Amino acid sequence: MNPALRIVDAAVESAELPIPNGWFAILSSRELKKKAVRPVRAFGKELVAFRGDDGRVTVLDAHCPHLGAHMGYGGKVVGDELQCPFHAWRFDKGGHCTHVPFAKKLPVARTRCWQVHETGGLIFVHHDRTGAPPATPPPDLSMFARWTRPIEDRSEYRGHPIEAAENVIDAGHFVYFHGAREPAALDFSANGATASMKTAFALGGLLSGVTAQMAVELYGPGLLFVRTKLLVDVVVITTPLPIEPGRTLFRMSVVAEKPRWFPLFGRIAAEIIRRRAAYDAKHERAIWEHKVYVPAPRLSSVDRHIQPFRRWYAQFL
Amino acid sequence: MRFPFAAVPKSWYHLVWADELRAGETREVEAFGETITVHRAEDGVLSASPDRFPICEKNEMIWAYYDPAGEPPAFALMPLPELEDASFLPLGRVDRVFSSHVQEIVENAVDIAHYAAQHGFVGQATLGDFAPEAHAFRALVIAKKRVFGVTLPIQLAFEYCGMGFGVGRATGPLTLSNVVTCLPIDAHRIRMRFTIFAIVPRVPMLSAIIARLLRWHVWADVKGEIALFENKLYRERPLLSSSDGPIMKVRAWCRQFYPAEAA
């Protein structure tokens, strides 16, 4: 039988990929002010994030080892520690119990502590299914420190975080989703936990004749930059977060360079790109929501980057 | 599975307050994962559909008995002396549906360590007495509590009859009884109801104000706890400290209301 005529049966061939290992943004810094406590759902688990008096962020497993209260609902920050709402047990930044009201002897109690790294207005934690320490250093967004303040756009979709990353190296879809006149010319290269891709595509319609430049940098499964130029450099910092198997929080933070000739223009450029990215994401989400992940896809010559990308991504699964 | 036991232990459960079902009326109640229709005929006789569950009227409430094996009721409901005592004034009712299990509410009564963090008790509450007997138990909690900014000594006597019917009686400078009835709606949700009585000075106007304040206080006291119940995890093997109440003893008492596990 000619394999090209094989019918792909979604029910048989779609695969549930596991939640990947790596650094993922769970919250933006603005969502966690000093002394604030927030429940976080990520990696199919319940977590609690809090910011102590010293400004440092701690992320712990949410349920108190005592009688199981979720400390993200009603928990309080006392100094640099988290106090459970139920019986007022306290936990330090390492997740160790430091205080039990009226107890004659402190029980040896601990809730899991997650590795946290806060950078560029985002709070990252490291996830590993086996509990292994991070193989890669945490993301660094300090290069954007002098750029505009990030403007954010968030949405959820049903599916794996790989969809958000695979999408940017999918040349064929630029025609249908991003106004390209023909499939984008792509240049994909992988190096360890990072990968990059450059593309130039001719726009169609009203912008016919204009060539859009786009560079994508992927840092593990939880962070990718989409760099584009609108007189100034604009970067869409995209951080897909696996909330639970089959559910992803898609967060975009748009930052732009502040040009010396008109610093405010950076803000305007970032807002234009944010709108465009949010518009595209909204339409693409409809695809992501309902598509299946086909492990052995039928590819055409346009799609030659899909398999190298997947081989690179497999190191996180 | 959020809880390591069946959603509905065998017990009597409060379906509706008696005055919600007058002669000739019919009401639908969500209970035990289905809809139970209760009807009061013109002659006052109660009936329910489906009719698998024995029903009765007691303590100004209409009850249904749930037993997964369909056995007849293993115990009778205890009376409420507050209803016979003219000095007690009915203060009001609370009716809330949330995601939890009836056993969480039973365990909560003897969880003396939570009173300081959750209910404004001052210092450590002590358990004067925990006496399980057959289908009932009594427990006495002795503590100090801040009520409207004043620290008062308080004794809280709990009495439970099965898993769905408990009374907390506060005595001290203030005498207040809270009848706590919990109904399992389905595998995830329960309906918790309070019927509150108190002895308040019978002074026109003043007693109405006191009643209103106390009712507000009882509700304010528990509303923060509902989010806690909805999001907590049931720990089969909790890590207990010396300041905890007889959590494992009350769990042992609860076990009688579940079908014996297949060996």
Side-chain angles (χ1 to χ4, degrees):
Chain A
M1 194 179 106
N2 181 350
L5 294 177
R6 200 166 49 99
I7 289 167
V8 175
D9 181 346
V12 176
E13 302 213 11
S14 75
E16 274 288 334
L17 295 178
I19 288 178
N21 300 325
W23 291 92
F24 292 94
I26 53 163
L27 290 169
S28 73
S29 300
R30 255 186 280 179
E31 288 174 301
L32 197 70
K33 300 236 155 68
K34 207 175 240 187
K35 292 191 98 65
V37 180
R38 286 192 69 129
V40 174
R41 186 150 171 79
F43 324 117
K45 296 175 195 302
E46 295 289 341
L47 312 180
V48 57
F50 68 96
R51 195 188 288 279
D53 282 341
D54 61 358
R56 300 278 298 269
V57 176
T58 301
V59 178
L60 304 173
D61 271 5
H63 294 114
C64 182
H66 178 216
L67 280 159
H70 190 310
M71 296 189 277
Y73 295 90
K76 268 196 217 113
V77 174
V78 179
D80 298 332
E81 300 185 338
L82 177 64
Q83 179 173 300
C84 176
F86 205 4
H87 302 85
W89 288 28
R90 271 185 219 155
F91 297 87
D92 67 12
K93 287 187 220 173
H96 299 274
C97 178
T98 58
H99 176 72
V100 171
F102 316 116
K104 293 181 203 87
K105 193 171 151 267
L106 196 65
V108 182
R110 195 179 171 191
T111 181
R112 183 165 35 156
C113 165
W114 293 69
Q115 278 212 47
V116 179
H117 184 72
E118 187 170 16
T119 179
L122 289 168
I123 298 165
F124 288 85
V125 299
H126 185 261
H127 168 259
D128 188 280
R129 289 195 303 281
T130 62
T136 52
D140 180 12
L141 305 180
S142 59
M143 64 280 232
F144 304 122
R146 295 171 153 274
W147 290 31
T148 56
R149 283 203 344 174
I151 0 183
E152 225 185 79
D153 195 85
R154 281 188 310 165
S155 52
E156 268 185 50
Y157 68 88
R158 204 169 46 180
H160 192 272
I162 196 173
E163 304 293 0
E166 189 169 299
N167 186 60
V168 294
I169 58 106
D170 170 9
H173 94 291
F174 280 94
V175 177
Y176 304 102
F177 278 98
H178 307 288
R181 208 169 47 194
E182 55 194 47
L186 281 162
D187 174 19
F188 177 79
S189 66
N191 177 18
T194 65
S196 64
M197 191 276 288
K198 281 191 176 61
T199 181
F201 54 90
L203 291 170
L206 280 177
L207 295 172
S208 191
V210 177
T211 304
Q213 304 276 345
M214 206 174 87
V216 178
E217 294 151 48
L218 299 111
Y219 300 91
L223 173 67
L224 64 97
F225 296 162
V226 179
R227 263 179 213 277
T228 179
K229 218 171 168 80
L230 197 75
L231 296 176
V232 295
D233 278 346
V234 183
V235 172
V236 183
I237 303 167
T238 307
T239 53
L241 170 71
I243 299 172
E244 58 194 28
R247 193 123 207 108
T248 300
L249 176 69
F250 184 69
R251 188 193 297 269
M252 296 190 291
S253 302
V254 187
V255 290
E257 224 181 353
K258 284 193 251 183
R260 251 187 309 206
W261 42 270
F262 183 30
L264 187 65
F265 183 76
R267 178 98 194 147
I268 297 165
E271 180 57 24
I272 292 170
I273 298 295
R274 184 197 67 82
R275 285 191 188 201
R276 177 68 211 213
Y279 173 85
D280 287 350
K282 191 177 156 198
H283 287 81
E284 286 174 328
R285 209 157 56 237
I287 303 270
W288 301 348
E289 282 261 334
H290 302 288
K291 79 187 280 301
V292 294
Y293 181 79
V294 181
R298 311 303 303 157
L299 298 173
S300 87
S301 61
V302 175
D303 305 316
R304 67 200 158 84
H305 298 292
I306 299 280
Q307 292 303 20
F309 163 76
R310 289 190 176 183
R311 277 196 295 277
W312 170 78
Y313 198 94
Q315 65 181 305
F316 311 115
L317 297 173
Chain B
M1 285 300 285
R2 192 173 162 203
F3 297 99
F5 27 65
V8 193
K10 66 175 178 193
S11 277
W12 284 102
Y13 294 105
H14 175 193
L15 293 182
V16 293
W17 278 292
D19 58 13
E20 292 178 303
L21 191 71
R22 296 178 198 285
E25 283 185 347
T26 302
R27 270 187 178 269
E28 287 187 343
V29 186
E30 275 188 87
F32 322 138
E34 53 191 306
T35 303
I36 299 177
T37 307
V38 274
H39 173 71
R40 193 198 290 275
E42 294 296 344
D43 61 2
V45 174
L46 290 170
S47 61
S49 159
D51 60 1
R52 293 199 303 282
F53 311 107
I55 56 167
C56 79
E57 183 166 355
K58 176 115 184 160
N59 300 330
E60 300 182 356
M61 297 167 187
I62 293 164
W63 303 78
Y65 185 80
Y66 180 91
D67 183 311
E71 299 285 329
F75 59 92
L77 289 157
M78 62 184 174
L80 282 179
E82 285 83 354
L83 291 168
E84 312 297 325
D85 186 337
S87 56
F88 275 93
L89 194 74
L91 282 198
R93 297 167 177 179
V94 170
D95 188 345
R96 284 292 181 284
V97 172
F98 54 95
S99 158
S100 190
H101 188 284
V102 288
Q103 185 166 327
E104 291 273 30
I105 311 303
V106 177
E107 289 184 19
N108 196 239
V110 301
D111 177 5
I112 51 169
H114 93 289
Y115 287 100
Q118 279 288 319
H119 303 292
F121 280 42
V122 181
Q124 187 179 15
T126 51
L127 194 76
D129 176 32
F130 175 73
E133 42 184 277
H135 62 273
F137 76 76
R138 289 164 193 276
L140 184 69
V141 177
I142 303 154
K144 292 192 179 77
K145 181 174 168 50
R146 279 185 87 76
V147 181
F148 300 120
V150 187
T151 303
L152 305 170
I154 185 174
Q155 290 211 357
L156 256 176
F158 283 98
E159 197 172 357
Y160 254 88
C161 174
M163 299 279 280
F165 178 27
V167 191
R169 296 185 171 93
T171 52
L174 183 80
T175 305
L176 183 141
S177 297
N178 188 8
V179 181
V180 179
T181 48
C182 285
L183 171 70
I185 294 178
D186 51 34
H188 311 287
R189 295 174 303 155
I190 60 167
R191 185 166 180 183
M192 182 175 79
R193 278 170 290 191
F194 292 170
T195 315
I196 311 160
F197 302 91
I199 299 179
V200 294
R202 296 291 173 115
V203 181
M205 298 296 284
L206 186 65
S207 54
I209 292 167
I210 293 173
R212 188 174 274 257
L213 279 172
L214 286 175
R215 188 169 58 227
W216 177 84
H217 179 76
V218 170
W219 175 237
D221 216 29
V222 297
K223 73 174 182 214
E225 232 175 347
I226 288 183
L228 201 149
F229 281 122
E230 293 209 291
N231 293 290
K232 80 185 285 296
L233 193 74
Y234 188 85
R235 289 211 184 274
E236 273 187 88
R237 279 188 292 274
L239 186 93
L240 299 174
S241 93
S242 58
S243 57
D244 278 305
I247 302 283
M248 300 321 266
K249 282 186 189 162
V250 84
R251 288 187 179 182
W253 174 84
C254 289
R255 234 165 270 144
Q256 64 178 303
F257 301 101
Y258 296 95
E261 274 170 47

